[in-house]
Amino acid sequence: MHQSGASAPQFVDGAVDGAVDAADGVLPDGVTVFDDRYPGVAELDPDLLRALRDAATAAADDGVTIYVNSGWRSRGYQNELLSEAVSTYGSESAAARWVATADTSPHVSGEAVDIGKDEATAWLSRHGATLGLCQIYVNEPWHYELRPAAREGRCPPMYADPTHDPRMQP
């Protein structure tokens, strides 16, 4: 789920706008990378999840908790987020700066995670590359993906936003 200035989806009885719920990847506040009871965490790519847990363990030594705002998402949840973004931003092209389609989103494949709390994103910004965790988009400081080659150096250059990412092209 993006964290721009747009309004967040409304939670109704554990579901977003009554349509999707925890089984689709919706996460309540306070979920960490160790909360396997939520598919949004448990369905992440195993290598990404392992790197996130290593990061969380290291961050805890610095007094920082790694929270997950959004991880794996069902296609239905991704489609709902995109629909809400189109309503918020006025067009599909404007929404694409913040929310990918279900066909292109790395969240749907479990290969992306949105980290909660500024101190956690700041910690990952400083230390994540050593674990292969890289921020992908300049406009989304909370969005991280696994880039194993980063462990040997630095993360690859970031895209300005998802519209500049070749993976997001139809």
Side-chain angles (χ1 to χ4, degrees), residues 11 13 20 31 36 40-41 44 58 62 79 86 102-103 111 113 116 120 128-129 133-135 141-142 157-158 160-161:
F11 288 83
D13 295 328
V20 295
V31 171
D36 284 335
V41 173
L44 287 170
D62 293 335
N79 286 334
V86 170
D103 290 333
E111 297 174 348
V113 65
L133 296 168
C134 296
Q135 180 184 339
W142 54 84
M158 287 184 265
D161 63 53

Side-chain angles (χ1 to χ4, degrees), residues 71-165:
W72 169 84
R73 299 175 188 152
S74 70
R75 294 178 63 79
Y77 184 20
Q78 189 67 33
N79 286 334
E80 183 168 315
L81 291 173
L82 180 57
S83 177
E84 290 172 0
V86 170
S87 292
T88 298
Y89 297 108
S91 70
E92 287 184 22
S93 60
R97 293 192 64 237
W98 302 103
V99 181
T101 67
D103 290 333
T104 60
S105 175
H107 285 280
V108 172
S109 61
E111 297 174 348
V113 65
D114 292 348
I115 300 299
K117 309 268 186 186
D118 291 342
E119 60 272 9
T121 58
W123 190 94
L124 277 176
S125 178
R126 288 188 309 273
H127 305 287
T130 62
L131 299 163
L133 296 168
C134 296
Q135 180 184 339
I136 304 301
Y137 306 117
V138 172
N139 73 324
E140 295 185 7
W142 54 84
H143 181 99
Y144 278 79
E145 297 179 24
L146 184 62
R147 298 290 185 265
R151 292 179 183 133
E152 299 174 13
R154 297 167 37 123
C155 288
M158 287 184 265
Y159 299 107
D161 63 53
T163 64
H164 293 90
D165 184 342

